[in-house]
Amino acid sequence: EQITPTDPASARAVTEIEKFYKATGLRDIRHEQIVVNTEIGCAGTIDCSGLMVTNNLVIVDYKTIVLAKYRKPYDKWLYQLGGYELLLSGGRYVCITDVWYSIVIDRFSGEIKVEQWTKEDMKRGIEGFGCLLEFWKVDKGYRPEEWVKGEKDEKDEPREV
């Protein structure tokens, strides 16, 4: 059952997003899909995924900002989508999704702006996320392969390198 928001900005955003879905033919929509990959030691929640009428797999990420200050998509948005690709591909640095969108929602009016990422963008996003993840693992002493094998420290703390 669909709930209609009472806040005018939220209601506008929902209406505009639904129009976008219809215009692109997005179907089989899943919201808040949790993806986990224990081998790379990472998890995330995809805001929206689905199929287009062409059977292309789509990932949509929502961003709420002040549109008056917005100029272009941030690289960190691309890295987040790249992280989902890395998770979905089983840790391989390949694109398995066909189409990627960031839907930018104005927090005051509910107006939306749709940004579509290219495959070249996404390759950069996957690489960027992979580098950030590896840096984070080194910085925190995080070794997910040890957790998967059951070799985790008893104190639940990173080991000294």
Side-chain angles (χ1 to χ4, degrees):
E1 180 182 341
Q2 187 172 355
I3 299 171
T4 304
T6 55
D7 172 65
S10 298
R12 179 179 178 184
V14 167
T15 300
E16 289 193 22
I17 290 168
E18 286 175 345
K19 285 180 187 175
F20 168 75
Y21 288 165
K22 286 180 185 168
T24 57
L26 193 60
R27 60 187 170 79
D28 297 329
I29 298 170
R30 293 191 174 123
H31 292 281
E32 299 296 315
Q33 180 183 0
I34 297 170
V35 287
V36 178
N37 185 308
T38 55
E39 295 205 10
I40 64 171
C42 191
T45 303
I46 299 173
D47 290 342
C48 177
S49 64
L51 291 173
M52 298 179 108
V53 291
T54 56
N55 284 329
N56 287 340
L57 182 59
V58 178
I59 292 179
V60 178
D61 191 45
Y62 303 112
K63 298 296 179 193
T64 305
I65 64 169
V66 178
L67 272 180
K69 298 178 181 179
Y70 178 71
R71 299 294 170 255
K72 65 178 188 167
Y74 300 107
D75 282 345
K76 64 183 177 182
W77 298 352
L78 178 61
Y79 300 152
Q80 182 178 358
L81 289 167
Y84 299 144
E85 284 293 317
L86 200 58
L87 287 164
L88 292 170
S89 70
R92 295 174 292 134
Y93 284 70
V94 296
C95 296
I96 64 163
T97 306
D98 303 300
V99 183
W100 309 267
Y101 293 105
S102 291
I103 296 183
V104 184
I105 305 166
D106 183 74
R107 73 174 67 250
F108 298 115
S109 71
E111 177 186 354
I112 70 166
K113 180 168 178 49
V114 178
E115 300 285 358
Q116 183 172 357
W117 300 93
T118 67
K119 190 166 190 166
E120 288 306 310
D121 290 331
M122 197 50 52
K123 288 177 182 176
R124 188 169 60 88
I126 294 168
E127 287 290 326
F129 181 84
C131 289
L132 292 169
L133 179 61
E134 289 307 312
F135 171 80
W136 185 84
K137 287 178 182 179
V138 169
D139 188 52
K140 302 297 180 191
Y142 180 62
R143 295 181 186 83
E145 63 280 358
E146 293 173 2
W147 288 43
V148 173
K149 294 177 188 172
E151 299 173 11
K152 190 174 122 352
D153 283 339
E154 302 239 347
K155 294 182 181 176
D156 198 25
E157 294 177 6
R159 294 181 183 170
E160 290 296 320
V161 181

